[in-house]
Amino acid sequence: MTALPTRKDEAWRYSDLAEVARLWPVGPATEISVAAGERRAEHLIATAGIHDYTIEVAAGGRMDFHVLNADGVYGRIAVDVTLHDGAHFEFGGVQVGGDTQTLEIVTTVRHVEPNATSRQVVRSVLAGQATGSYLGKVAVSRDAQKTDSVQSVKAMLLDRTATANAKPELEIYADDVKCAHGATVGELDKGAMFYLASRGLPPVEARTLLLRAFVAEVFAGAGGRDELEAAALGALERLS
C-alpha cells in the first residue's frame, strides 16, 4: 500500500489531509494513450475525491483535456503527461469553490522529445473559506529542443477569507526552448460591477456575468463545451 501523503510532499502541501486519509488508498490512475498523429479530446466534470490521470501522446499526436473541479468538500485532479516528438497537449481547468472546500489541480507535463508544445490555462473562483490550488510542473529533457510551453494561472477571490495557491514551475535542461508561465490572484473589478449596476443589472447577476466571462476562455473550443459551461455556471450561481 502506498504511504499516505504528508505536507513534506510538495504535491500535497495544500491538501486537506484529513479528507485524503479518509479517501486513501486511491485506485490506479486512468491511463490515456494517444497514437502517433491522432487527435483526442476528453473532458471531466469531477465528482468529489481524487482523480489521477496518466497521459502519453505519441509523435505528432494531440490531446485536449478540459476539467471542472467544483464538487464536494475535497476535490483533486492530478494529471501526468508525457509528450513525444511534435506532440501537443492542451489543458483547461476551472475550479469553483465556496464554504470550506479544498480544490486542487496538479499537473506534470514531461517534454521528452523535440518540437512538442503544451498550453495550460487554469482559472479559480473562490468564496467563503475555500482553498483552491494549482501546482503545475513543466519538465523539459535535454533532448527536447524546440519545446514551446505556456502556463496561465489566475484566481478570483470573492471573499478575503478564501485562499488561492499557485505554483507554476519550469524544469528545463534543453537550451533551445520557449517556455513561459504567469500567475495572478485578484478580486472582482469594482468598476465593471458599477458599470453593470448603472445599466440596471442586479448585483448578483452582475457578479455571475463577470465570473462567467472570467472562466469562459478556458473552455473555448473544448469537447463538451456546453456541458462544461453549464456545470460551471451552476457552480458559480451556488456561490451567490
Side-chain angles (χ1 to χ4, degrees), residues 3 21 36 95 194:
Q95 302 192 109
F194 176 79

Side-chain angles (χ1 to χ4, degrees), residues 4-33:
L4 188 68
T6 70
R7 299 210 187 280
K8 292 182 180 180
D9 186 335
E10 182 65 24
W12 299 85
R13 176 187 290 187
Y14 306 111
S15 303
D16 182 338
L17 293 183
E19 281 296 306
V20 173
R22 187 181 66 81
L23 296 165
W24 207 260
V26 297
T30 299
E31 297 184 359
I32 299 175
S33 295

Side-chain angles (χ1 to χ4, degrees), residues 110-131:
R110 308 176 193 276
H111 289 254
V112 298
E113 292 181 353
N115 306 307
T117 57
S118 61
R119 180 174 181 265
Q120 300 181 71
V121 180
V122 178
R123 301 289 182 262
S124 298
V125 179
L126 305 164
Q129 295 180 319
T131 298

